[in-house]
Amino acid sequence: MPNYTLGEESFKDKDKDAENILSASDMAIIISHLLKEFPQVLDTTSKANSSFIDQDQTISMESSNWMLKGLSEYDSNYPVDGLKTGTTDAAGACFSATMQKEGQRIATVILGAEHVDGNDPSRFTQTKKLMNYIFDHYQIKEITAKNKVPEITRVKIDDGEKKSALVYMKQPTKLWLPKEQKISNLKVKFSKSALQAPITKNEKVGEFYISNLPALNSSHGVEIEATVHENIKKINPLMNLFSYVNQAAKKYYQSIFNYGEKREKNSKSKVKTKKDEKPYPDPADLAEVGTWNKNSEAKGHPNLAKVKNLWIRVSLKGNRTYIMSGNKPIYTMLSTGGAYHKNKSDTPTGTYYIQEERGDDFYNNELNEGAKYYVSWKDHGVYLFHSVPTKSDGSINKKEAAKLGRSSGSHGCIRLSVPDSKWLAETVPVGTKVVIKDK
């Protein structure tokens, strides 16, 4: 709008004919705020015609948005319900349009279209071209907890009864992404290095930033709200003090009596290190070690829904995972567990249970490693059964895959062949017991 039209709100240090200048992205930011904060504006902008009473006269008006139903540029492929046309000598013919597509709202901005005369439809022609480009090159993709994107991330907790917690998306998110863009290749970061206790379950605790997906008015990329799935209380200051004193005392006695070193040596002497220990003999039809693209056994996978007394047994040093029916292994899978450091595996041993988190693929940017088909068995997305590793482009890391059934080497998860991991992720019931031992 020319400065002189603003009355008392005009800029005193600017010429009366000066005009505000906005970029297409500036206008898009305004549109975003308008539609989110005042969605009722669409009740007006969606009307092609309306009548007004001015004193005793009825005045009929037609919208300048000719793409509305009933007007000259209407096309059912572009069911726009707003928003605003505008024309100035400097900007040319402009149009900000919006419509719903597959349940998601699209907004487009056209600046500087031709304007030969008042009947020139160029701004609407260009809008259709822009919308066509979106439909041809982009599609809506949903990011859910099932996809494990944004990555389930463990974050430090300050002054909490727990030292860390997993953060999740607050709700599933649908985004317009290039058709060739894989969800697993989105680069995700969390907005905070630590959270402050107390924290309430499902409250907003920060944002995930998708850094390789541009966003309006943000240098971080698209933002998605994050939450935690548990209540975390603030630690009692006295308990914090006790913990500090206890740690200090422990370090003191360790330095005098070398207690920690002696204990470590004693524990080492009790650890068996025979790498090929297996609790059960291999079946005759077991695939060769390193076979990552086939079932581990020549026979088909068992129907887990019909297995009596189902549980899963993992042998870390044996590099085998067994589907158990009571005391009997009914299917043996080649596997790779956590790498060993000082005779201790990165995979925790003990008894756990299959959890709800599962999906078709994921990629961990920090580790530069992903996998296909996963299901969680500890810490809701931290420890998984999943396929042999994949690279950033989704291809199999064959060097790591060669370890399958032969040696350890994961970061803590249990790796399986691609067909085995797909079958397990798709069929294993939540709550199935998982027992992990060295042997």
Side-chain angles (χ1 to χ4, degrees), residues 128-185:
K128 293 173 185 178
K129 287 182 179 180
L130 182 53
M131 288 182 172
N132 271 333
Y133 183 87
I134 296 170
F135 304 156
D136 289 343
H137 293 84
Y138 289 76
Q139 68 184 63
I140 294 171
K141 298 182 182 181
E142 184 173 16
I143 302 177
T144 67
K146 179 181 177 181
N147 295 118
K148 205 185 178 186
V149 176
E151 293 160 7
I152 300 175
T153 306
R154 184 168 287 279
V155 179
K156 178 184 175 185
I157 305 293
D158 289 336
D159 298 326
E161 289 185 347
K162 291 191 172 184
K163 298 300 182 184
S164 64
L166 292 166
V167 288
Y168 301 83
M169 287 189 303
K170 204 166 188 300
Q171 58 189 15
T173 300
K174 290 183 178 180
L175 297 171
W176 282 93
L177 298 178
K179 289 184 176 179
E180 67 277 7
Q181 173 75 63
K182 292 184 177 180
I183 288 178
S184 58
N185 290 340

Side-chain angles (χ1 to χ4, degrees), residues 11-23:
F11 294 87
K12 308 306 179 191
D13 58 338
K14 302 295 181 183
D15 184 88
K16 67 181 181 63
D17 293 321
E19 295 183 6
N20 294 307
I21 297 176
L22 298 174
S23 68

Side-chain angles (χ1 to χ4, degrees), residues 306-311 324-327:
K306 296 182 179 180
V307 176
K308 295 181 179 180
N309 301 319
L310 171 68
W311 59 289
M324 304 293 294
S325 176
N327 295 324

Side-chain angles (χ1 to χ4, degrees), residues 56-72:
D56 295 332
Q57 269 189 315
T58 299
I59 301 175
S60 297
M61 296 187 68
E62 182 177 284
S63 174
S64 59
N65 176 4
W66 299 347
M67 291 183 71
L68 294 175
K69 188 173 183 178
L71 301 183
S72 60

Side-chain angles (χ1 to χ4, degrees), residues 250-259:
K250 183 178 179 181
K251 289 182 180 180
Y252 174 73
Y253 284 110
Q254 281 180 337
S255 65
I256 295 176
F257 299 110
N258 202 18
Y259 171 77

